[in-house]
């Protein structure tokens, strides 16, 4: 006879670890197309019918950030926002007012970073460049 503590638990969805959810979170981030906070991404995912906890979103974003699969910056409000990084390495010039961005590739920078590590005995050197400014629309006060 089974005790109450070992009785079968009714069928309920098995919780998945954040690492298991990383592809879903990254896909949602990619579909977003720009910078978004973890809270905003969580809201978007739940509105799309994806059942996921906010903590899981934070953990998946942190893990993906550690792997270099996304870009994380602090918005003017101080909130950390994230953007999917495509497999091709590129940099972005981002408007400090509205958050609009323009992708660019700078081969001179890539060449310099490639030489920097070996010159100082470092391996697996990665870089992040935060180039910000005010876009033409915001500079004209044409926002909002």
């Amino acid at each position: 006879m089974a005790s109450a503590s070992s009785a079968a638990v009714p069928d309920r969805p098995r919780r998945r670890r954040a690492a298991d959810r990383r592809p879903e979170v990254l896909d949602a981030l990619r579909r977003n197309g720009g910078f978004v906070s973890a809270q905003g991404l969580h809201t978007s995912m739940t509105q799309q019918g994806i059942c996921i906890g906010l903590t899981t979103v934070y953990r998946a974003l942190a893990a993906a950030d550690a792997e270099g699969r996304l870009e994380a910056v602090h918005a003017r409000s101080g909130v950390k926002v994230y953007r999917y990084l495509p497999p091709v390495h590129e940099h972005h010039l981002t408007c400090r007012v509205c958050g609009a961005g323009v992708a660019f590739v700078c081969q001179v920078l890539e060449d310099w970073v490639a030489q920097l590590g070996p010159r100082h005995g470092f391996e697996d050197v990665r870089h992040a460049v935060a180039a910000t400014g005010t876009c033409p629309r915001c500079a004209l006060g044409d926002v909002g």
Side-chain angles (χ1 to χ4, degrees):
M1 181 168 161
S3 68
S5 63
S6 65
V9 176
D11 286 341
R12 60 180 156 157
R14 183 179 151 267
R15 290 185 164 226
R16 294 182 2 207
R17 299 178 60 92
D20 298 340
R21 305 301 298 268
R22 198 172 313 151
E24 284 177 279
V25 172
L26 282 173
D27 188 51
L29 193 61
R30 181 188 53 76
R31 286 193 316 269
N32 181 68
F35 283 99
V36 64
S37 67
Q39 179 80 46
L41 187 61
H42 175 260
T43 299
S44 172
M45 291 176 76
T46 55
Q47 287 174 345
Q48 294 171 28
I50 301 169
C51 184
I52 189 167
L54 179 58
T55 301
T56 300
V57 171
Y58 272 106
R59 287 179 180 156
L61 289 170
D65 187 23
E67 294 174 352
R69 298 185 66 191
L70 56 84
E71 181 177 8
V73 296
H74 288 279
R76 189 175 249 190
S77 65
V79 173
K80 196 170 192 179
V81 291
Y82 305 87
R83 184 170 54 104
Y84 176 78
L85 284 178
V88 174
H89 184 74
E90 58 188 28
H91 299 283
H92 295 84
L93 176 60
T94 306
C95 179
R96 288 188 296 266
V97 178
C98 70
V102 177
F104 67 92
V105 176
C106 180
Q107 194 57 50
V108 172
L109 175 63
E110 299 302 324
D111 293 343
W112 178 76
V113 170
Q115 296 169 11
L116 184 64
R119 184 179 305 144
H120 297 282
F122 282 69
E123 296 179 16
D124 192 28
V125 174
R126 298 177 188 176
H127 67 280
V129 175
T132 63
T134 305
C135 73
R137 194 172 137 212
C138 291
L140 294 173
D142 192 27
V143 181

